[in-house]
PDB file of all heavy atoms in Angstrom:
ATOM      1  N   GLU A  82      15.199  29.446 -10.962  1.00 91.00           N
ATOM      2  CA  GLU A  82      14.582  29.017  -9.703  1.00 91.00           C
ATOM      3  C   GLU A  82      13.618  30.071  -9.150  1.00 91.00           C
ATOM      4  O   GLU A  82      12.553  29.746  -8.617  1.00 91.00           O
ATOM      5  CB  GLU A  82      15.693  28.689  -8.690  1.00 91.00           C
ATOM      6  CG  GLU A  82      15.207  28.217  -7.317  1.00 91.00           C
ATOM      7  CD  GLU A  82      14.253  26.996  -7.364  1.00 91.00           C
ATOM      8  OE1 GLU A  82      14.372  26.162  -8.280  1.00 91.00           O
ATOM      9  OE2 GLU A  82      13.376  26.924  -6.466  1.00 91.00           O
ATOM     10  N   SER A  83      13.936  31.354  -9.339  1.00 89.00           N
ATOM     11  CA  SER A  83      13.050  32.395  -8.804  1.00 89.00           C
ATOM     12  C   SER A  83      11.659  32.309  -9.467  1.00 89.00           C
ATOM     13  O   SER A  83      10.641  32.486  -8.786  1.00 89.00           O
ATOM     14  CB  SER A  83      13.656  33.786  -9.047  1.00 89.00           C
ATOM     15  OG  SER A  83      13.887  33.955 -10.440  1.00 89.00           O
ATOM     16  N   ARG A  84      11.599  32.018 -10.773  1.00 89.00           N
ATOM     17  CA  ARG A  84      10.292  31.917 -11.432  1.00 89.00           C
ATOM     18  C   ARG A  84       9.645  30.558 -11.121  1.00 89.00           C
ATOM     19  O   ARG A  84       8.437  30.431 -11.083  1.00 89.00           O
ATOM     20  CB  ARG A  84      10.462  32.082 -12.952  1.00 89.00           C
ATOM     21  CG  ARG A  84      10.699  33.549 -13.301  1.00 89.00           C
ATOM     22  CD  ARG A  84      10.594  33.790 -14.768  1.00 89.00           C
ATOM     23  NE  ARG A  84       9.328  33.378 -15.339  1.00 89.00           N
ATOM     24  CZ  ARG A  84       9.161  33.092 -16.640  1.00 89.00           C
ATOM     25  NH1 ARG A  84      10.177  33.165 -17.475  1.00 89.00           N
ATOM     26  NH2 ARG A  84       7.990  32.734 -17.090  1.00 89.00           N
ATOM     27  N   MET A  85      10.491  29.582 -10.869  1.00 91.00           N
ATOM     28  CA  MET A  85       9.965  28.229 -10.549  1.00 91.00           C
ATOM     29  C   MET A  85       9.159  28.301  -9.249  1.00 91.00           C
ATOM     30  O   MET A  85       8.169  27.604  -9.097  1.00 91.00           O
ATOM     31  CB  MET A  85      11.135  27.259 -10.420  1.00 91.00           C
ATOM     32  CG  MET A  85      10.757  25.818 -10.398  1.00 91.00           C
ATOM     33  SD  MET A  85       9.989  25.261 -11.916  1.00 91.00           S
ATOM     34  CE  MET A  85       9.027  23.893 -11.266  1.00 91.00           C
ATOM     35  N   ARG A  86       9.598  29.181  -8.320  1.00 87.00           N
ATOM     36  CA  ARG A  86       8.870  29.291  -7.045  1.00 87.00           C
ATOM     37  C   ARG A  86       7.431  29.762  -7.263  1.00 87.00           C
ATOM     38  O   ARG A  86       6.546  29.442  -6.497  1.00 87.00           O
ATOM     39  CB  ARG A  86       9.620  30.250  -6.101  1.00 87.00           C
ATOM     40  CG  ARG A  86      10.641  29.482  -5.295  1.00 87.00           C
ATOM     41  CD  ARG A  86      11.289  30.349  -4.250  1.00 87.00           C
ATOM     42  NE  ARG A  86      12.734  30.207  -4.386  1.00 87.00           N
ATOM     43  CZ  ARG A  86      13.609  31.175  -4.527  1.00 87.00           C
ATOM     44  NH1 ARG A  86      13.183  32.432  -4.553  1.00 87.00           N
ATOM     45  NH2 ARG A  86      14.885  30.929  -4.638  1.00 87.00           N
ATOM     46  N   ASP A  87       7.248  30.574  -8.318  1.00 85.00           N
ATOM     47  CA  ASP A  87       5.885  31.031  -8.618  1.00 85.00           C
ATOM     48  C   ASP A  87       5.071  29.925  -9.272  1.00 85.00           C
ATOM     49  O   ASP A  87       3.857  29.885  -9.143  1.00 85.00           O
ATOM     50  CB  ASP A  87       5.922  32.243  -9.553  1.00 85.00           C
ATOM     51  CG  ASP A  87       6.440  33.451  -8.809  1.00 85.00           C
ATOM     52  OD1 ASP A  87       6.224  33.509  -7.586  1.00 85.00           O
ATOM     53  OD2 ASP A  87       7.078  34.305  -9.442  1.00 85.00           O
ATOM     54  N   VAL A  88       5.754  29.020  -9.953  1.00 89.00           N
ATOM     55  CA  VAL A  88       5.045  27.919 -10.623  1.00 89.00           C
ATOM     56  C   VAL A  88       4.548  26.930  -9.563  1.00 89.00           C
ATOM     57  O   VAL A  88       3.411  26.489  -9.594  1.00 89.00           O
ATOM     58  CB  VAL A  88       5.966  27.217 -11.625  1.00 89.00           C
ATOM     59  CG1 VAL A  88       5.353  25.892 -12.080  1.00 89.00           C
ATOM     60  CG2 VAL A  88       6.232  28.109 -12.822  1.00 89.00           C
ATOM     61  N   ARG A  89       5.420  26.634  -8.597  1.00 89.00           N
ATOM     62  CA  ARG A  89       5.024  25.668  -7.552  1.00 89.00           C
ATOM     63  C   ARG A  89       3.891  26.257  -6.715  1.00 89.00           C
ATOM     64  O   ARG A  89       4.027  27.358  -6.205  1.00 89.00           O
ATOM     65  CB  ARG A  89       6.203  25.362  -6.636  1.00 89.00           C
ATOM     66  CG  ARG A  89       7.277  24.563  -7.277  1.00 89.00           C
ATOM     67  CD  ARG A  89       8.314  24.097  -6.255  1.00 89.00           C
ATOM     68  NE  ARG A  89       9.571  23.864  -6.931  1.00 89.00           N
ATOM     69  CZ  ARG A  89      10.653  24.639  -6.815  1.00 89.00           C
ATOM     70  NH1 ARG A  89      10.649  25.673  -5.989  1.00 89.00           N
ATOM     71  NH2 ARG A  89      11.753  24.353  -7.485  1.00 89.00           N
ATOM     72  N   GLY A  90       2.864  25.521  -6.577  1.00 83.00           N
ATOM     73  CA  GLY A  90       1.705  26.009  -5.783  1.00 83.00           C
ATOM     74  C   GLY A  90       0.728  26.751  -6.667  1.00 83.00           C
ATOM     75  O   GLY A  90      -0.450  26.452  -6.668  1.00 83.00           O
ATOM     76  N   ARG A  91       1.235  27.727  -7.485  1.00 86.00           N
ATOM     77  CA  ARG A  91       0.322  28.514  -8.294  1.00 86.00           C
ATOM     78  C   ARG A  91      -0.130  27.766  -9.558  1.00 86.00           C
ATOM     79  O   ARG A  91      -1.306  27.741  -9.894  1.00 86.00           O
ATOM     80  CB  ARG A  91       1.017  29.827  -8.701  1.00 86.00           C
ATOM     81  CG  ARG A  91       0.281  30.672  -9.726  1.00 86.00           C
ATOM     82  CD  ARG A  91      -0.908  31.333  -9.076  1.00 86.00           C
ATOM     83  NE  ARG A  91      -1.808  31.908 -10.075  1.00 86.00           N
ATOM     84  CZ  ARG A  91      -2.850  31.257 -10.596  1.00 86.00           C
ATOM     85  NH1 ARG A  91      -3.101  30.008 -10.234  1.00 86.00           N
ATOM     86  NH2 ARG A  91      -3.617  31.833 -11.479  1.00 86.00           N
ATOM     87  N   ARG A  92       0.836  27.157 -10.258  1.00 91.00           N
ATOM     88  CA  ARG A  92       0.503  26.453 -11.492  1.00 91.00           C
ATOM     89  C   ARG A  92       0.467  24.934 -11.294  1.00 91.00           C
ATOM     90  O   ARG A  92      -0.398  24.255 -11.824  1.00 91.00           O
ATOM     91  CB  ARG A  92       1.545  26.778 -12.585  1.00 91.00           C
ATOM     92  CG  ARG A  92       1.633  28.230 -12.914  1.00 91.00           C
ATOM     93  CD  ARG A  92       0.786  28.557 -14.092  1.00 91.00           C
ATOM     94  NE  ARG A  92       0.735  29.992 -14.344  1.00 91.00           N
ATOM     95  CZ  ARG A  92      -0.326  30.593 -14.820  1.00 91.00           C
ATOM     96  NH1 ARG A  92      -1.407  29.926 -15.075  1.00 91.00           N
ATOM     97  NH2 ARG A  92      -0.310  31.884 -15.031  1.00 91.00           N
ATOM     98  N   VAL A  93       1.469  24.455 -10.611  1.00 93.00           N
ATOM     99  CA  VAL A  93       1.551  22.997 -10.373  1.00 93.00           C
ATOM    100  C   VAL A  93       1.759  22.795  -8.881  1.00 93.00           C
ATOM    101  O   VAL A  93       2.653  23.406  -8.296  1.00 93.00           O
ATOM    102  CB  VAL A  93       2.762  22.371 -11.120  1.00 93.00           C
ATOM    103  CG1 VAL A  93       2.767  20.860 -10.961  1.00 93.00           C
ATOM    104  CG2 VAL A  93       2.795  22.779 -12.567  1.00 93.00           C
ATOM    105  N   SER A  94       0.934  21.966  -8.248  1.00 91.00           N
ATOM    106  CA  SER A  94       1.160  21.710  -6.824  1.00 91.00           C
ATOM    107  C   SER A  94       1.178  20.215  -6.576  1.00 91.00           C
ATOM    108  O   SER A  94       0.799  19.439  -7.437  1.00 91.00           O
ATOM    109  CB  SER A  94       0.120  22.409  -5.965  1.00 91.00           C
ATOM    110  OG  SER A  94      -1.130  21.856  -6.221  1.00 91.00           O
ATOM    111  N   ILE A  95       1.607  19.857  -5.391  1.00 91.00           N
ATOM    112  CA  ILE A  95       1.767  18.425  -5.087  1.00 91.00           C
ATOM    113  C   ILE A  95       1.154  18.087  -3.736  1.00 91.00           C
ATOM    114  O   ILE A  95       1.228  18.881  -2.781  1.00 91.00           O
ATOM    115  CB  ILE A  95       3.273  18.024  -5.171  1.00 91.00           C
ATOM    116  CG1 ILE A  95       3.456  16.511  -5.032  1.00 91.00           C
ATOM    117  CG2 ILE A  95       4.112  18.779  -4.152  1.00 91.00           C
ATOM    118  CD1 ILE A  95       4.798  16.004  -5.545  1.00 91.00           C
ATOM    119  N   ILE A  96       0.512  16.927  -3.677  1.00 89.00           N
ATOM    120  CA  ILE A  96      -0.005  16.392  -2.412  1.00 89.00           C
ATOM    121  C   ILE A  96       0.833  15.161  -2.108  1.00 89.00           C
ATOM    122  O   ILE A  96       0.875  14.246  -2.933  1.00 89.00           O
ATOM    123  CB  ILE A  96      -1.494  15.963  -2.559  1.00 89.00           C
ATOM    124  CG1 ILE A  96      -2.342  17.136  -3.037  1.00 89.00           C
ATOM    125  CG2 ILE A  96      -2.017  15.419  -1.251  1.00 89.00           C
ATOM    126  CD1 ILE A  96      -3.692  16.712  -3.560  1.00 89.00           C
ATOM    127  N   PHE A  97       1.472  15.164  -0.964  1.00 84.00           N
ATOM    128  CA  PHE A  97       2.331  14.028  -0.632  1.00 84.00           C
ATOM    129  C   PHE A  97       1.558  12.945   0.119  1.00 84.00           C
ATOM    130  O   PHE A  97       0.471  13.187   0.636  1.00 84.00           O
ATOM    131  CB  PHE A  97       3.519  14.475   0.212  1.00 84.00           C
ATOM    132  CG  PHE A  97       4.528  15.269  -0.568  1.00 84.00           C
ATOM    133  CD1 PHE A  97       4.633  16.636  -0.387  1.00 84.00           C
ATOM    134  CD2 PHE A  97       5.360  14.661  -1.477  1.00 84.00           C
ATOM    135  CE1 PHE A  97       5.546  17.383  -1.117  1.00 84.00           C
ATOM    136  CE2 PHE A  97       6.284  15.396  -2.202  1.00 84.00           C
ATOM    137  CZ  PHE A  97       6.379  16.754  -2.017  1.00 84.00           C
ATOM    138  N   GLN A  98       2.197  11.783   0.210  1.00 76.00           N
ATOM    139  CA  GLN A  98       1.589  10.631   0.850  1.00 76.00           C
ATOM    140  C   GLN A  98       1.349  10.845   2.340  1.00 76.00           C
ATOM    141  O   GLN A  98       0.323  10.495   2.857  1.00 76.00           O
ATOM    142  CB  GLN A  98       2.521   9.437   0.641  1.00 76.00           C
ATOM    143  CG  GLN A  98       2.157   8.202   1.413  1.00 76.00           C
ATOM    144  CD  GLN A  98       3.072   7.055   1.080  1.00 76.00           C
ATOM    145  OE1 GLN A  98       3.959   7.181   0.249  1.00 76.00           O
ATOM    146  NE2 GLN A  98       2.901   5.954   1.729  1.00 76.00           N
ATOM    147  N   GLU A  99       2.345  11.417   3.005  1.00 75.00           N
ATOM    148  CA  GLU A  99       2.329  11.411   4.478  1.00 75.00           C
ATOM    149  C   GLU A  99       2.114  12.819   4.978  1.00 75.00           C
ATOM    150  O   GLU A  99       3.062  13.596   5.062  1.00 75.00           O
ATOM    151  CB  GLU A  99       3.690  10.846   4.918  1.00 75.00           C
ATOM    152  CG  GLU A  99       3.804  10.394   6.350  1.00 75.00           C
ATOM    153  CD  GLU A  99       2.552   9.858   7.000  1.00 75.00           C
ATOM    154  OE1 GLU A  99       2.291   8.669   6.927  1.00 75.00           O
ATOM    155  OE2 GLU A  99       1.833  10.675   7.627  1.00 75.00           O
ATOM    156  N   PRO A 100       0.868  13.184   5.320  1.00 71.00           N
ATOM    157  CA  PRO A 100       0.640  14.574   5.726  1.00 71.00           C
ATOM    158  C   PRO A 100       1.402  14.938   6.998  1.00 71.00           C
ATOM    159  O   PRO A 100       1.766  16.097   7.193  1.00 71.00           O
ATOM    160  CB  PRO A 100      -0.873  14.640   5.957  1.00 71.00           C
ATOM    161  CG  PRO A 100      -1.325  13.232   6.116  1.00 71.00           C
ATOM    162  CD  PRO A 100      -0.368  12.375   5.367  1.00 71.00           C
ATOM    163  N   SER A 101       1.665  13.945   7.858  1.00 72.00           N
ATOM    164  CA  SER A 101       2.326  14.257   9.110  1.00 72.00           C
ATOM    165  C   SER A 101       3.699  14.843   8.883  1.00 72.00           C
ATOM    166  O   SER A 101       4.160  15.707   9.629  1.00 72.00           O
ATOM    167  CB  SER A 101       2.478  13.001   9.979  1.00 72.00           C
ATOM    168  OG  SER A 101       1.289  12.315   9.994  1.00 72.00           O
ATOM    169  N   THR A 102       4.369  14.392   7.837  1.00 76.00           N
ATOM    170  CA  THR A 102       5.732  14.905   7.613  1.00 76.00           C
ATOM    171  C   THR A 102       5.729  16.075   6.652  1.00 76.00           C
ATOM    172  O   THR A 102       6.721  16.769   6.542  1.00 76.00           O
ATOM    173  CB  THR A 102       6.640  13.785   7.055  1.00 76.00           C
ATOM    174  OG1 THR A 102       5.966  13.181   5.960  1.00 76.00           O
ATOM    175  CG2 THR A 102       6.971  12.748   8.090  1.00 76.00           C
ATOM    176  N   SER A 103       4.626  16.306   5.948  1.00 81.00           N
ATOM    177  CA  SER A 103       4.613  17.404   4.979  1.00 81.00           C
ATOM    178  C   SER A 103       4.089  18.701   5.568  1.00 81.00           C
ATOM    179  O   SER A 103       4.412  19.777   5.081  1.00 81.00           O
ATOM    180  CB  SER A 103       3.737  17.038   3.781  1.00 81.00           C
ATOM    181  OG  SER A 103       4.028  15.739   3.351  1.00 81.00           O
ATOM    182  N   LEU A 104       3.279  18.613   6.633  1.00 88.00           N
ATOM    183  CA  LEU A 104       2.766  19.843   7.252  1.00 88.00           C
ATOM    184  C   LEU A 104       3.794  20.343   8.271  1.00 88.00           C
ATOM    185  O   LEU A 104       4.504  19.546   8.893  1.00 88.00           O
ATOM    186  CB  LEU A 104       1.432  19.547   7.965  1.00 88.00           C
ATOM    187  CG  LEU A 104       0.243  19.241   7.072  1.00 88.00           C
ATOM    188  CD1 LEU A 104      -0.944  18.801   7.919  1.00 88.00           C
ATOM    189  CD2 LEU A 104      -0.132  20.438   6.222  1.00 88.00           C
ATOM    190  N   ASN A 105       3.832  21.671   8.433  1.00 89.00           N
ATOM    191  CA  ASN A 105       4.725  22.243   9.426  1.00 89.00           C
ATOM    192  C   ASN A 105       4.102  22.032  10.807  1.00 89.00           C
ATOM    193  O   ASN A 105       3.025  22.583  11.084  1.00 89.00           O
ATOM    194  CB  ASN A 105       4.912  23.739   9.114  1.00 89.00           C
ATOM    195  CG  ASN A 105       5.893  24.399  10.055  1.00 89.00           C
ATOM    196  OD1 ASN A 105       6.197  23.849  11.114  1.00 89.00           O
ATOM    197  ND2 ASN A 105       6.360  25.571   9.672  1.00 89.00           N
ATOM    198  N   PRO A 106       4.761  21.265  11.697  1.00 88.00           N
ATOM    199  CA  PRO A 106       4.115  20.908  12.960  1.00 88.00           C
ATOM    200  C   PRO A 106       3.957  22.078  13.926  1.00 88.00           C
ATOM    201  O   PRO A 106       3.150  22.009  14.856  1.00 88.00           O
ATOM    202  CB  PRO A 106       5.048  19.831  13.538  1.00 88.00           C
ATOM    203  CG  PRO A 106       6.365  20.052  12.906  1.00 88.00           C
ATOM    204  CD  PRO A 106       6.084  20.669  11.556  1.00 88.00           C
ATOM    205  N   VAL A 107       4.725  23.170  13.743  1.00 90.00           N
ATOM    206  CA  VAL A 107       4.656  24.275  14.716  1.00 90.00           C
ATOM    207  C   VAL A 107       3.883  25.463  14.184  1.00 90.00           C
ATOM    208  O   VAL A 107       3.977  26.572  14.689  1.00 90.00           O
ATOM    209  CB  VAL A 107       6.094  24.710  15.160  1.00 90.00           C
ATOM    210  CG1 VAL A 107       6.745  23.620  15.963  1.00 90.00           C
ATOM    211  CG2 VAL A 107       6.938  25.105  13.983  1.00 90.00           C
ATOM    212  N   MET A 108       3.109  25.232  13.134  1.00 93.00           N
ATOM    213  CA  MET A 108       2.344  26.336  12.535  1.00 93.00           C
ATOM    214  C   MET A 108       0.886  25.902  12.427  1.00 93.00           C
ATOM    215  O   MET A 108       0.612  24.811  11.940  1.00 93.00           O
ATOM    216  CB  MET A 108       2.914  26.574  11.140  1.00 93.00           C
ATOM    217  CG  MET A 108       2.571  27.873  10.490  1.00 93.00           C
ATOM    218  SD  MET A 108       3.459  27.895   8.913  1.00 93.00           S
ATOM    219  CE  MET A 108       3.224  29.526   8.404  1.00 93.00           C
ATOM    220  N   PRO A 109      -0.063  26.737  12.887  1.00 93.00           N
ATOM    221  CA  PRO A 109      -1.477  26.341  12.736  1.00 93.00           C
ATOM    222  C   PRO A 109      -1.781  26.055  11.266  1.00 93.00           C
ATOM    223  O   PRO A 109      -1.221  26.693  10.370  1.00 93.00           O
ATOM    224  CB  PRO A 109      -2.238  27.572  13.232  1.00 93.00           C
ATOM    225  CG  PRO A 109      -1.275  28.324  14.093  1.00 93.00           C
ATOM    226  CD  PRO A 109       0.089  28.049  13.536  1.00 93.00           C
ATOM    227  N   VAL A 110      -2.695  25.110  11.031  1.00 93.00           N
ATOM    228  CA  VAL A 110      -2.943  24.681   9.654  1.00 93.00           C
ATOM    229  C   VAL A 110      -3.464  25.832   8.784  1.00 93.00           C
ATOM    230  O   VAL A 110      -3.108  25.964   7.613  1.00 93.00           O
ATOM    231  CB  VAL A 110      -3.909  23.466   9.584  1.00 93.00           C
ATOM    232  CG1 VAL A 110      -3.259  22.255  10.166  1.00 93.00           C
ATOM    233  CG2 VAL A 110      -5.241  23.762  10.255  1.00 93.00           C
ATOM    234  N   GLY A 111      -4.266  26.713   9.388  1.00 94.00           N
ATOM    235  CA  GLY A 111      -4.824  27.822   8.630  1.00 94.00           C
ATOM    236  C   GLY A 111      -3.722  28.724   8.085  1.00 94.00           C
ATOM    237  O   GLY A 111      -3.763  29.161   6.924  1.00 94.00           O
ATOM    238  N   GLU A 112      -2.731  29.003   8.951  1.00 94.00           N
ATOM    239  CA  GLU A 112      -1.610  29.847   8.509  1.00 94.00           C
ATOM    240  C   GLU A 112      -0.900  29.254   7.312  1.00 94.00           C
ATOM    241  O   GLU A 112      -0.411  29.960   6.433  1.00 94.00           O
ATOM    242  CB  GLU A 112      -0.632  30.043   9.658  1.00 94.00           C
ATOM    243  CG  GLU A 112      -0.894  31.274  10.486  1.00 94.00           C
ATOM    244  CD  GLU A 112       0.124  31.458  11.586  1.00 94.00           C
ATOM    245  OE1 GLU A 112       1.333  31.311  11.333  1.00 94.00           O
ATOM    246  OE2 GLU A 112      -0.316  31.695  12.727  1.00 94.00           O
ATOM    247  N   GLN A 113      -0.826  27.906   7.280  1.00 94.00           N
ATOM    248  CA  GLN A 113      -0.117  27.250   6.175  1.00 94.00           C
ATOM    249  C   GLN A 113      -0.896  27.411   4.871  1.00 94.00           C
ATOM    250  O   GLN A 113      -0.300  27.517   3.805  1.00 94.00           O
ATOM    251  CB  GLN A 113       0.093  25.767   6.506  1.00 94.00           C
ATOM    252  CG  GLN A 113       0.892  25.601   7.805  1.00 94.00           C
ATOM    253  CD  GLN A 113       1.320  24.173   8.112  1.00 94.00           C
ATOM    254  OE1 GLN A 113       1.779  23.458   7.227  1.00 94.00           O
ATOM    255  NE2 GLN A 113       1.199  23.761   9.357  1.00 94.00           N
ATOM    256  N   ILE A 114      -2.213  27.507   4.977  1.00 95.00           N
ATOM    257  CA  ILE A 114      -3.016  27.749   3.763  1.00 95.00           C
ATOM    258  C   ILE A 114      -2.928  29.227   3.381  1.00 95.00           C
ATOM    259  O   ILE A 114      -2.745  29.567   2.216  1.00 95.00           O
ATOM    260  CB  ILE A 114      -4.476  27.317   3.993  1.00 95.00           C
ATOM    261  CG1 ILE A 114      -4.541  25.857   4.460  1.00 95.00           C
ATOM    262  CG2 ILE A 114      -5.307  27.503   2.716  1.00 95.00           C
ATOM    263  CD1 ILE A 114      -5.934  25.411   4.887  1.00 95.00           C
ATOM    264  N   VAL A 115      -3.033  30.084   4.410  1.00 95.00           N
ATOM    265  CA  VAL A 115      -2.989  31.544   4.149  1.00 95.00           C
ATOM    266  C   VAL A 115      -1.656  31.890   3.435  1.00 95.00           C
ATOM    267  O   VAL A 115      -1.626  32.703   2.498  1.00 95.00           O
ATOM    268  CB  VAL A 115      -3.122  32.324   5.474  1.00 95.00           C
ATOM    269  CG1 VAL A 115      -2.723  33.786   5.306  1.00 95.00           C
ATOM    270  CG2 VAL A 115      -4.550  32.214   5.972  1.00 95.00           C
ATOM    271  N   GLU A 116      -0.576  31.254   3.868  1.00 93.00           N
ATOM    272  CA  GLU A 116       0.730  31.525   3.279  1.00 93.00           C
ATOM    273  C   GLU A 116       0.685  31.331   1.745  1.00 93.00           C
ATOM    274  O   GLU A 116       1.172  32.154   0.995  1.00 93.00           O
ATOM    275  CB  GLU A 116       1.742  30.511   3.903  1.00 93.00           C
ATOM    276  CG  GLU A 116       3.149  30.992   3.884  1.00 93.00           C
ATOM    277  CD  GLU A 116       4.071  30.009   4.596  1.00 93.00           C
ATOM    278  OE1 GLU A 116       3.937  28.776   4.408  1.00 93.00           O
ATOM    279  OE2 GLU A 116       4.949  30.467   5.348  1.00 93.00           O
TER     280      GLU A 116
END
Side-chain angles (χ1 to χ4, degrees):
E82 181 53 31
S83 57
R84 285 191 57 203
M85 193 63 206
R86 271 186 231 126
D87 289 331
V88 167
R89 290 189 205 109
R91 172 74 193 91
R92 300 264 173 214
V93 186
S94 65
I95 187 161
I96 303 164
F97 289 106
Q98 171 177 357
E99 195 31 90
S101 314
T102 50
S103 314
L104 291 172
N105 183 343
V107 293
M108 197 177 190
V110 292
E112 267 182 46
Q113 302 188 44
I114 305 172
V115 166
E116 205 175 44

